[in-house]
Amino acid sequence: CNLTGLWENDLGSKMQVVKVDNEGNFSGMYHTAVSSTRNPIKPSPLVGSQHLDEDGQCTFGFTVNWNFSDSTAVFVGQCFTGDDGKEVLHTSWLLREKVSSEQDDWKATR
């Protein structure tokens, strides 16, 4: 699985990976379809890396620096190839929002 290209999830968010280099590093843009902020959603830059496994079912991770809010998200996942030959990504994520004080740290990560 090479992550280069356009990926879309079930909620309509889109990830565009421009190029994966020979060491598995990549960059691109993420356009989320969902947000808790009132600011207009904008495509945001992402950087990441993937394992270049021979079986094609690589693990990967990337960070998105949301440029329309004071938050950052990290995603980890794996690429699977189904019986139909279609590649599918399964991911988990953490989002860290900026809070105004250390006492509010408990509510900053989802």
Side-chain angles (χ1 to χ4, degrees):
C1 179
N2 186 318
L3 297 178
T4 301
L6 181 66
W7 299 87
E8 184 172 354
N9 71 13
D10 296 340
L11 299 175
S13 297
K14 296 177 182 169
M15 175 178 75
Q16 176 76 47
V17 175
V18 179
K19 179 184 177 186
V20 178
D21 70 20
N22 292 337
E23 295 180 2
N25 301 308
F26 61 88
S27 63
M29 298 296 284
Y30 197 101
H31 191 175
T32 186
V34 296
S35 174
S36 63
T37 183
R38 293 183 180 151
N39 298 334
I41 294 173
K42 298 177 187 176
S44 298
L46 68 85
V47 294
S49 62
Q50 76 171 87
H51 282 277
L52 300 174
D53 297 340
E54 296 203 12
D55 69 0
Q57 301 197 104
C58 66
T59 59
F60 60 89
F62 60 92
T63 302
V64 179
N65 181 13
W66 302 114
N67 58 14
F68 60 91
S69 70
D70 289 334
S71 61
T72 303
V74 294
F75 293 76
V76 293
Q78 185 172 348
C79 181
F80 295 95
T81 304
D83 293 336
D84 60 358
K86 184 178 177 182
E87 294 176 333
V88 176
L89 306 181
H90 286 263
T91 62
S92 296
W93 58 271
L94 286 173
L95 180 124
R96 175 67 186 218
E97 294 179 300
K98 181 180 175 182
V99 292
S100 59
S101 69
E102 186 178 359
Q103 289 77 24
D104 290 334
D105 184 62
W106 66 270
K107 65 180 181 178
T109 302
R110 289 192 263 158

